[in-house]
Amino acid sequence: MKNKNITKLLIGFFLLAGSTITLAQDYSITLNLIDEDSNEPLSGVTVIISPCNCGGISNNGGIFTKKLTKGSYNLSIEYLGYRGKKIKVELSNNQTLNIEMQVEEQQLSEVILLAQKRNQNVESSQMGVLELNIRDLIKAPSALGEF
């Protein structure tokens, strides 16, 4: 009777341990970020993932990878000069998404350039000046070490 109870207890323990391992399993999401017109990879694209408030930037090959637990995530993808994208992802296995970014041109109404002098002393750079008369030159030792 005791052996049956111990066996049941061990089986229950292993089933419980196995289920917690599968519940906490991480999946990876990989984004391939490319330009829509040229199909070239975009490096430095900002990816923000919520609700975990995590994210990062794409590498030189335009690839962004992040490990996350199973669940629903909202991806906010932004890149300077391109139209931003918002994507909802249900993560239940490893996923790879190809994201094409569209160029977004904006017309600026006005550009203002301001300039200031950084250093007022640049115009009058003065070297150190030392005045010597002929008597001081005669008293000074020569370059060959004579006294």
Side-chain angles (χ1 to χ4, degrees):
M1 179 95 167
K2 262 186 169 178
N3 287 338
K4 287 184 180 182
N5 288 339
I6 292 174
T7 306
K8 288 180 183 178
L9 183 64
L10 286 174
I11 290 173
F13 174 74
F14 286 117
L15 288 175
L16 182 63
S19 66
T20 57
I21 291 172
T22 58
L23 289 176
Q25 186 173 5
D26 287 343
Y27 299 106
S28 68
I29 183 165
T30 302
L31 304 178
N32 293 322
L33 300 150
I34 58 173
D35 182 282
E36 183 181 60
D37 298 328
S38 66
N39 288 332
E40 291 189 21
L42 298 173
S43 65
V45 177
T46 304
V47 179
I48 299 172
I49 304 169
S50 59
C52 71
N53 291 329
C54 58
I57 60 172
S58 63
N59 64 12
N60 289 337
I63 297 173
F64 170 82
T65 301
K66 185 75 175 171
K67 287 194 176 203
L68 301 167
T69 57
K70 181 178 179 178
S72 177
Y73 296 96
N74 295 314
L75 306 178
S76 176
I77 304 166
E78 296 180 2
Y79 192 54
L80 186 63
Y82 287 79
R83 183 172 294 134
K85 288 193 172 193
K86 297 197 182 294
I87 299 171
K88 186 170 185 170
V89 175
E90 290 292 330
L91 193 61
S92 59
N93 57 1
N94 294 335
Q95 290 187 17
T96 300
L97 303 173
N98 294 318
I99 308 294
E100 294 181 348
M101 301 290 289
Q102 297 174 340
V103 174
E104 180 178 47
E105 296 179 7
Q106 293 182 350
Q107 188 71 24
L108 299 176
S109 61
E110 185 176 334
V111 176
I112 299 173
L113 298 176
L114 299 174
Q116 295 178 345
K117 285 186 177 180
R118 294 187 79 186
N119 191 353
Q120 298 288 339
N121 229 1
V122 173
E123 292 177 6
S124 62
S125 61
Q126 182 177 347
M127 301 288 288
V129 177
L130 179 63
E131 292 183 21
L132 293 174
N133 60 27
I134 193 71
R135 289 186 187 160
D136 292 335
L137 285 174
I138 292 173
K139 291 181 185 175
S142 67
L144 297 176
E146 298 175 7
F147 292 99

